[in-house]
Amino acid sequence: MAMMAADEEALTIACADRGLPLLLLRPTLIYGCGMDRNVSRLAELAARFGLIPLAGPAGGLRQPVHADDLATLAVLALQSVRPVDSVSAACGGATLTYREMVERIAALQPRLVRLPGLPEGLLVALLWMLSSIKAVRGAGPEMVRRQNQDLVFDDSALRLALDWTPRPFDPRPEDFEVPEHCRALQLPLDR
């Protein structure tokens, strides 16, 4: 995160020095195209194990944003008559709890997926013990704690400035797969 912040600051300074507008987007939880490490990983867990353990109530709020909506936003920004010079979140079209998000992902599976709520400490210990499994790799204590933290932002000024309306979170099975036309362009992923 520190490297990202430093890169943002350097870009902001470079644009200011040159008198260029800068629209710096900070998307929320991105999904779609099967390349994300959040929503697609949850779908993989559901498909493989029929189980997605949650940290207690998993009541933290989320605003998942589809990759296609972000692409549309980028095109709108490039085509805008008046450049938007701003740093802004870019959120999805719905705010829902982490549990509700996981329930929608689980509902896409052909079999019943259980969503047990476990104490945070127990879930952290389980993730550590199962860390060699590909679908679990990279999930850590902070990821567990965040399930009960609100991660929501206000992007209303951006939506108004660019007339952007992202879709609500209604995932489809194809959102968890890399589209065929993109596979030839895809770089190898360490997943």
Side-chain angles (χ1 to χ4, degrees):
M1 292 302 291
M3 286 176 45
M4 193 180 309
D7 289 344
E8 285 183 4
E9 184 177 347
L11 185 58
T12 301
I13 292 168
C15 287
D17 288 349
R18 291 165 179 78
L20 298 172
L22 172 64
L23 175 58
L24 186 59
L25 299 175
R26 295 182 177 149
T28 54
L29 189 67
I30 302 171
Y31 73 100
C33 300
M35 295 178 65
D36 67 274
R37 293 182 180 236
N38 297 297
V39 175
S40 292
R41 179 176 280 171
L42 291 169
E44 184 180 348
L45 273 172
R48 187 168 180 187
F49 301 108
L51 178 78
I52 302 175
L54 299 172
L61 297 176
R62 299 294 185 272
Q63 298 165 305
V65 60
H66 198 284
D68 288 346
D69 291 338
L70 291 173
T72 298
L73 177 58
V75 170
L76 289 170
L78 289 169
Q79 293 176 339
S80 178
V81 174
R82 271 186 257 124
V84 178
D85 192 2
S86 174
V87 175
S88 176
C91 310
T95 300
L96 63 165
T97 67
Y98 191 88
R99 177 176 286 280
E100 290 169 328
M101 181 182 75
V102 171
E103 287 170 349
R104 292 182 189 184
I105 295 164
L108 294 172
Q109 303 306 315
R111 65 178 176 164
L112 176 67
V113 177
R114 300 197 186 283
L115 309 173
L118 305 174
E120 277 186 18
L122 178 59
L123 186 51
V124 168
L126 283 172
L127 287 175
W128 180 79
M129 291 186 317
L130 301 173
S131 62
S132 64
I133 297 172
K134 178 182 168 187
V136 178
R137 199 175 307 139
E142 191 55 35
M143 217 172 175
V144 171
R145 280 189 280 284
R146 284 194 308 257
Q147 289 182 21
N148 287 297
Q149 294 174 353
D150 291 345
L151 300 176
V152 293
F153 305 92
D154 180 10
D155 66 352
S156 57
L158 175 71
R159 290 182 193 209
L160 185 62
L162 294 173
D163 193 25
W164 181 58
T165 308
R167 71 192 79 186
F169 185 67
D170 186 23
R172 303 283 181 233
E174 56 270 17
D175 290 328
F176 310 124
E177 300 291 330
V178 176
E180 191 61 42
H181 65 278
C182 295
R183 288 177 199 229
L185 305 172
Q186 186 179 2
L187 296 173
L189 293 176
D190 179 29
R191 290 185 82 179

